[in-house]
Amino acid sequence: MQFSVFGPVVVERDGLRVSVPRSQRRGLLALLLLNEGRLLSVDAICEALWGGAAPATARQQIQTGIHAIRMALRDLDGEDAVMAGPAGYGIAAGYGTLDLARFEEMIERARTLPPAEAAGMLRQALAQWRGPALADASGAFVEPARSRLEDQRLAAIEDLARIELARGNTEAALQEIRPLIETHPLRERLRESHMLALYRAGRPTEALESFRDLRARLAEEHGLAPGPALVALQQRIIEADPALLPGPVVRTRGNLPADTTTFVGRRAEVAEVARLLAGSRLVTLTGVGGVGKTRLAVHVGRDLAPQTPDGVWLVDLSGLGDPGLVAETVGEALGVAGQTARPPADELRDHLADRRTLLILDTCEHLVEACAHLTESLLRGAPGLRVLATSREALALPGERVYAVRPMAGSGDGAALFAERARDVDREFALARHHDQVARLCDRLDGIPLAIELAAVRLRVMTVAEMLERVDARFALLGGTRTAQARHQTLRTAIEWSHQLCSAGERALWARLSIFPGTFDLRAAEDVGASEDTADVWRVLAGLVDKSIVMREHDGRYRLLDAIREFGRERLREIGEEERSARLHRDHYHALSLRFEAEWFGPGQVEWCDRLLREDANLRAALDFGVSRPGERLRALELAAALWPLWAACGRLREGRHHLDRALAAAAEPSPQRTKALWACGHLTVGQGDLTATRRLAADCMAAATSVIAEGAGTVEAEDALIYAFHLEAVAATLAGEHAVAEVATRRALARHREGDGPPARLLTLLISRAFALLHAGDPHDAQATLAEHRAVAEGLGEIWTRSWGDYIGSQVALVMGRLNEAAALAAGSLRARYLLRDSLGMANCADTLAQVAVAAGDGERAARLLGLGHQLWRDYGHPQMGSPELRDARARCEAAARALAGDSRYEAGFAEGAALGLAEAVEDCEDPTGCLTPG
């Protein structure tokens, strides 16, 4: 189902749209959607719908309205989305189904992206709007909510206009601004962009007229004058300040998240840590759990971002349990390929060698040795790198500066933090009336931010005075010391207090949810957490969210903070459910992975890729569970093998090989699961260019499958394995230049597939290896015929991954035949698909092909730019061009031809420009026919 509040309040599924009768009932649905995932009490609903004038029949009207909503959703088989219980009513819409949630998530993501990609993301966000928010709903809350949402929309348009201005797209910026100036003439931020855009468009008179119009309107309607920023801009336009003209586009790099709550205080600490980083390349923030190390590190990073040309990158290590994946996890955060057979630390070091980067390693204490080893290696090999670590203990490396994060002062930042969080519970909370009590409460909590935030949530059920009385009694045994151990005990006691205030069902679910190492969705929580005491998991989960035990993320997923997860895990052990919960967790992700593999060769590949990449920590934990227990190792093999399309298609070759190698080593006895894991691993090694390993895996797989078939016990799995073994042999032979071997292997694989009337998904893979072999054997016409069959199958299934491989090979075929327009279009289409799937290997192949097209068209400068882009993508690979001498030779010839066409200086300039190009900008560039399509 899809829920909409931007425009009329409606729900739809598969083209069928329903609306709840009566505007007030639509208002009730809208209210629940604006608070999606939370239970609202009847009193809260009355206040929202009628303000202070609720009728005597209010409760009856609410019940009738809920019934009407259920009936409307029943037509879409979705009545279970309505939550109802003693605590109130709510809607569980599910991730990605509410236009408001999609809009807000896209806005947050845009803030972390390079300009071109951010502009595209903002346009996607704005496309969610179908009209004025809550257009056909009524209720006291509607106008304030509509105003707030409209303000968010306007702010997004302003952001988009500013990005377009920064990119030099003045006309695009004006197109966004013009309609808003007419309807919102008093927005000063909008006027600033309008004036700047007009000035850059060569229309300074109109820019000054825009300022005068605003000044007149402000004076007439409100008796005010424009702000100082606008006055200064007016003066700079009058003086024709050359700095107002667009300069080079500055790319913002990094992945720092947007704040989900306000950052209170800590300004002196932010400045001090920044000062330490100016004098030392490694600074570690230490302190007890919950003291605010992560928030402090992120805000230091945000302040230093303008001085860090290659970005500030946050790496969350809290959900990682395998020390061997620390470097891999850092690489994933930085967007480093992760697809080669090289050690990931070496790949990282080379990637960072000539960059000025700040790396934030968050939560190192459980991986301190691995973190220290990696940090030392990176600092030695990358002189422009600085590292800011958070840990409960120092990394103990030479030159490290350690900063102990102090608790908050009760009468200062602590009280301010309590008040800020208290207003989330009680909008009328005034710190001035309770300052002394709040300060004392914060002092009793040792100034630990997490303990203070947990206490603030208690305002739902008690006053500050009552809270202080209970805290004084509970904390009396702690004494008056302020050692780190005492503060740790303070946090623990605060968490225990929250634990005791939970219901029995909430306590049980808290313990079971602690098995998740990272974020999780509602279905996973239900599969792991359901029991007799928590039959309706969503209701219990909503209570934990209300108590701030479980955090709800922007994307609709849930998580527990580290200290709260640790406490829950202890409780889980105490009640004897740790092994059971870990097995349920594994079972959930095992089932999800099997479903993923079954549905992969279909229309939802990008969505599946996005979904499973969010499950990184959970998939790793599920695999660890199986590999570490003798009785579970076959399930681990099955799970690892089922995920092969994720790792092969979505840029995770090396991590996938890591897991498959571990699982194969742990379950060495012959089995159908092992045979499948052999060919699954072969798909990854061939992408890495490790042809020796590919051939070994293909031979082992062929021997295992042949043995089963020879014994007369042939199975679908054995037949599958034999055919994929031929396929792997063929691809390895093609890349090695052994075309006769490749031709025989691809013919045998296809013949065996057709004899057994195999599944279309397997046929897609076999046709790709056949076309690839034919092309490299010098038979482009047969390759083209094979690709035509492949495209028909791919279009029938609606899949894009092997289709993108077909388009890449097709572009090579068209290039050989001299059809340059076709070659460029196919390569550009493949590049776009690979970008959506995060497949940098495929993007690198496409960049090389587009460079060859440019050379064939006589455009040496464009070829140099594309070769620079390809170099950026290939340089992190241990085996560029997938280990193929023919592909390496083709690139070398292209480089020489491009240099000859452009001349040395223009070639070097174009190459450098391409090597610095952002991937989103590269894809956008190739969507422009004048940039990517060439004459011919």
Side-chain angles (χ1 to χ4, degrees):
M1 287 189 302
Q2 297 293 318
F3 297 86
S4 300
V5 295
F6 294 154
V9 180
V10 296
V11 189
E12 58 184 310
R13 169 178 276 168
D14 299 331
L16 177 62
R17 176 179 294 189
V18 300
S19 178
V20 179
R22 300 186 185 180
S23 64
Q24 189 181 80
R25 291 176 182 174
R26 290 191 291 273
L28 174 58
L29 174 59
L31 177 65
L32 299 182
L33 288 172
L34 293 181
N35 293 274
E36 192 271 326
R38 294 177 54 206
L39 289 176
L40 296 182
S41 68
V42 172
D43 289 343
I45 294 173
C46 287
E47 178 66 25
L49 291 180
W50 292 286
T57 59
R59 290 177 179 270
Q60 181 181 352
Q61 289 188 43
I62 291 171
Q63 290 173 352
T64 304
I66 292 294
H67 177 74
I69 293 170
R70 281 189 192 276
M71 292 301 99
L73 297 186
R74 177 178 291 179
D75 293 340
L76 304 178
D77 295 326
E79 61 181 305
D80 289 345
V82 178
M83 305 185 295
Y89 300 102
I91 289 282
Y95 175 68
T97 63
L98 175 60
D99 54 4
L100 169 60
R102 292 194 300 271
F103 173 78
E104 291 180 337
E105 182 182 357
M106 290 174 186
I107 296 299
E108 295 297 338
R109 286 179 62 191
R111 292 172 182 164
T112 69
L113 297 175
E117 198 169 344
M121 184 61 67
L122 287 170
R123 286 194 169 88
Q124 288 183 49
L126 291 165
Q128 304 299 313
W129 287 72
R130 298 173 297 105
L134 314 176
D136 58 350
S138 65
F141 78 98
V142 168
E143 280 306 319
R146 185 179 291 147
S147 176
R148 175 178 60 82
L149 294 172
E150 175 65 9
D151 197 62
Q152 287 182 254
R153 185 182 74 89
L154 294 174
I157 296 174
E158 290 169 346
D159 287 345
L160 176 59
R162 285 173 173 251
I163 288 172
E164 295 294 12
L165 279 173
R167 298 175 66 208
N169 297 336
T170 303
E171 283 304 319
L174 281 172
Q175 287 177 13
E176 301 292 345
I177 296 168
R178 278 194 200 101
L180 297 186
I181 286 293
E182 298 176 5
T183 54
H184 300 84
L186 302 183
R187 287 180 72 93
E188 295 202 8
R189 187 168 180 254
L190 187 65
R191 282 286 181 168
E192 183 180 348
S193 296
H194 189 228
M195 292 167 63
L196 186 57
L198 288 170
Y199 181 75
R200 289 183 177 178
R203 296 148 63 184
T205 302
E206 292 178 55
L208 293 173
E209 178 56 36
S210 180
F211 175 82
R212 287 192 289 270
D213 177 67
L214 173 66
R215 183 173 59 190
R217 287 174 182 269
L218 283 172
E220 180 179 345
E221 297 178 27
H222 300 286
L224 300 173
L230 275 177
V231 173
L233 178 59
Q234 177 210 25
Q235 188 61 35
R236 293 175 70 192
I237 291 173
I238 292 170
E239 296 171 356
D241 184 350
L244 290 179
L245 295 175
V249 175
V250 178
R251 297 189 186 93
T252 57
R253 297 181 182 272
N255 68 340
L256 293 182
D259 284 331
T260 56
T261 55
T262 51
F263 182 68
V264 178
R266 298 287 201 198
R267 298 315 304 173
E269 289 94 329
V270 169
E272 177 60 15
V273 175
R275 187 189 67 78
L276 291 175
L277 277 167
S280 173
R281 294 173 58 214
L282 171 61
V283 174
T284 301
L285 307 183
T286 62
V288 299
V291 81
K293 300 183 292 293
T294 299
R295 294 292 296 273
L296 177 58
V298 167
H299 276 266
V300 170
R302 195 164 284 137
D303 281 3
L304 293 179
Q307 308 161 37
T308 313
D310 294 302
V312 180
W313 301 88
L314 174 67
V315 185
D316 179 8
L317 298 170
S318 62
L320 183 65
D322 184 352
L325 288 175
V326 169
E328 194 73 51
T329 303
V330 174
E332 288 167 7
L334 269 67
V336 178
Q339 301 197 62
T340 76
R342 297 179 66 199
D346 293 352
E347 186 176 279
L348 271 174
R349 189 170 56 247
D350 291 349
H351 175 79
L352 294 168
D354 57 355
R355 287 175 162 88
R356 291 171 58 195
T357 305
L358 174 60
L359 188 62
I360 301 176
L361 298 179
D362 186 34
T363 316
C364 298
E365 56 266 12
H366 62 302
L367 302 162
V368 68
E369 188 173 329
C371 289
H373 181 75
L374 177 64
T375 299
E376 185 174 32
S377 172
L378 295 182
L379 290 174
R380 283 180 178 173
L385 172 68
R386 290 174 293 168
V387 176
L388 177 59
T390 75
S391 178
R392 296 183 192 178
E393 60 178 291
L395 301 188
L397 291 175
E400 177 184 20
R401 298 294 298 273
V402 178
Y403 182 85
V405 180
R406 297 183 299 274
M408 289 179 159
S411 59
D413 288 348
L417 176 63
F418 182 94
E420 189 71 23
R421 301 298 178 260
R423 280 190 282 271
D424 291 338
V425 178
D426 178 3
R427 286 177 294 178
E428 305 302 320
F429 181 82
L431 179 60
R433 293 204 297 266
H434 307 283
H435 184 274
D436 291 346
Q437 290 178 324
V438 169
R440 185 180 166 200
L441 175 63
C442 293
D443 281 338
R444 295 300 291 132
L445 295 171
D446 278 339
I448 298 174
L450 178 56
I452 293 170
E453 291 179 317
L454 288 172
V457 177
R458 303 275 71 78
L459 282 176
R460 286 192 176 97
V461 294
M462 62 183 74
T463 66
V464 177
E466 291 170 335
M467 202 181 308
L468 185 57
E469 180 183 343
R470 284 160 176 76
V471 167
D472 278 338
R474 182 171 295 278
F475 283 65
L477 296 177
L478 295 180
T481 62
R482 288 295 180 265
T483 63
Q485 181 60 37
R487 291 188 180 116
H488 176 76
Q489 184 59 43
T490 298
L491 176 61
R492 183 178 180 82
T493 303
I495 295 174
E496 286 177 347
W497 182 32
S498 294
H499 188 256
Q500 292 184 5
L501 290 174
C502 290
S503 68
E506 289 170 342
R507 290 196 291 269
L509 185 60
W510 178 349
R512 292 167 191 150
L513 295 180
S514 71
I515 208 70
F516 291 98
T519 64
F520 53 91
D521 60 20
L522 178 60
R523 177 58 59 85
E526 289 175 332
D527 284 354
V528 172
S531 186
E532 292 181 2
D533 50 5
T534 54
D536 290 327
V537 169
W538 63 264
R539 284 195 179 93
V540 184
L541 181 60
L544 291 174
V545 171
D546 283 343
K547 294 177 175 67
S548 294
I549 302 303
V550 174
M551 313 302 292
R552 192 161 189 268
E553 306 283 80
H554 281 298
D555 61 1
R557 291 171 66 82
Y558 301 91
R559 69 182 173 93
L560 279 73
L561 296 177
D562 292 344
I564 290 173
R565 184 190 303 114
E566 290 170 9
F567 182 90
R569 197 63 174 263
E570 291 177 12
R571 301 285 82 73
L572 193 64
R573 293 189 192 104
E574 289 176 4
I575 63 178
E577 289 192 13
E578 186 174 31
E579 186 72 10
R580 172 185 177 273
S581 295
R583 181 169 280 101
L584 288 172
H585 177 274
R586 189 280 314 276
D587 289 348
H588 173 83
Y589 288 101
H590 180 266
L592 179 66
S593 299
L594 293 180
R595 180 184 161 205
F596 155 73
E597 185 185 25
E599 296 182 9
W600 171 251
F601 289 98
Q605 289 179 327
V606 173
E607 291 76 12
W608 267 117
C609 178
D610 291 342
R611 179 176 180 181
L612 287 198
L613 290 180
R614 286 196 298 270
E615 301 287 5
D616 262 350
N618 288 309
L619 292 172
R620 289 167 179 165
L623 287 161
D624 286 344
F625 174 88
V627 170
S628 64
R629 291 163 173 79
E632 302 289 345
R633 287 172 181 166
L634 289 181
R635 296 287 296 278
L637 270 176
E638 192 174 36
L639 172 57
L643 291 169
W644 76 267
L646 171 72
W647 291 321
C650 304
R652 297 297 178 89
L653 293 173
R654 188 171 53 222
E655 181 173 351
R657 185 173 176 184
H658 168 85
H659 291 303
L660 279 162
D661 283 347
R662 285 183 68 209
L664 284 164
E669 293 298 316
S671 67
Q673 293 91 339
R674 179 178 173 80
T675 303
K676 179 179 178 180
L678 288 169
W679 65 252
C681 193
H683 279 87
L684 310 186
T685 58
V686 76
Q688 292 179 309
D690 190 347
L691 304 187
T692 301
T694 302
R695 284 173 157 154
R696 173 179 54 78
L697 289 162
D700 290 349
C701 182
M702 191 175 298
T706 303
S707 174
V708 172
I709 293 171
E711 292 172 0
T715 63
V716 173
E717 291 80 9
E719 189 68 20
D720 220 26
L722 185 61
I723 292 172
Y724 275 124
F726 288 143
H727 160 73
L728 293 173
E729 181 185 29
V731 177
T734 300
L735 291 172
E738 300 167 5
H739 302 306
V741 175
E743 197 281 330
V744 171
T746 57
R747 190 158 30 82
R748 291 176 70 187
L750 271 171
R752 191 135 192 153
H753 170 87
R754 296 189 198 280
E755 286 170 10
D757 193 23
R762 187 172 68 195
L763 180 61
L764 287 175
T765 306
L766 302 182
L767 290 171
I768 286 296
S769 61
R770 177 69 175 169
F772 193 52
L774 289 168
L775 170 66
H776 284 269
D779 191 353
H781 294 284
D782 279 357
Q784 187 173 35
T786 301
L787 290 173
E789 181 184 358
H790 175 271
R791 174 171 287 219
V793 177
E795 288 180 348
L797 293 175
E799 73 92 50
I800 66 169
W801 177 46
T802 70
R803 165 72 182 272
S804 69
W805 272 106
D807 286 349
Y808 160 67
I809 298 169
S811 70
Q812 289 281 329
V813 170
L815 181 60
V816 168
M817 294 180 168
R819 301 197 298 264
L820 301 190
N821 276 349
E822 181 183 341
L826 287 169
S830 181
L831 182 75
R832 285 192 294 273
R834 304 306 184 85
Y835 174 71
L836 291 173
L837 292 169
R838 300 172 174 83
D839 179 8
S840 55
L841 166 64
M843 292 184 71
N845 280 317
C846 294
D848 281 0
T849 300
L850 288 167
Q852 293 166 23
V853 172
V855 162
D859 190 344
E861 290 182 56
R862 171 148 186 85
R865 177 181 166 98
L866 288 160
L867 287 165
L869 171 64
H871 172 76
Q872 175 194 159
L873 294 162
W874 283 121
R875 68 178 173 179
D876 292 325
Y877 283 78
H879 300 281
Q881 286 72 45
M882 299 187 294
S884 168
E886 291 182 5
L887 292 176
R888 284 199 299 270
D889 290 347
R891 180 178 166 96
R893 290 193 300 272
C894 182
E895 289 172 345
R899 187 180 289 273
L901 283 168
D904 287 345
S905 61
R906 290 185 175 179
Y907 176 86
E908 297 294 347
F911 190 95
E913 184 181 356
L917 197 63
L919 295 184
E921 290 167 294
V923 174
E924 183 178 336
D925 190 36
C926 288
E927 288 176 346
D928 177 3
T930 64
C932 189
L933 301 180
T934 54

